[in-house]
Amino acid sequence: MNMTEPMFLALTALVDEPRHGYGIVQEVDRLSAGRVQLKIGTLYGVLDRLSAAGLVALDREEAQQGACGATTG
């Protein structure tokens, strides 16, 4: 798998604790000092690829809020 910078940063954002989508976006912004700003659509594509590679697992879905939690696998 070719790991892009957004993928690496999203994975890094999940090292310490599970996070919802917005939490991952905020942590990626912090980790990159504002240089990488993930949009929610891009984030979920990144999470899908990381999940398919077995690097993260869906913790739970909260459909009413449109967010999901993810953890490193």
Side-chain angles (χ1 to χ4, degrees), residues 10-20 23-24 27 59 69-72:
L11 190 59
T12 302
L14 294 168
V15 169
D16 293 337
E17 64 184 83
R19 296 181 195 273
H20 286 27
I24 296 170
E27 185 65 6
D59 183 28
T71 61
T72 54

Side-chain angles (χ1 to χ4, degrees), residues 14-37:
L14 294 168
V15 169
D16 293 337
E17 64 184 83
R19 296 181 195 273
H20 286 27
Y22 184 69
I24 296 170
V25 168
Q26 288 182 312
E27 185 65 6
V28 165
D29 183 62
R30 187 189 72 77
L31 289 168
S32 70
R35 195 173 42 77
V36 176
Q37 297 181 348

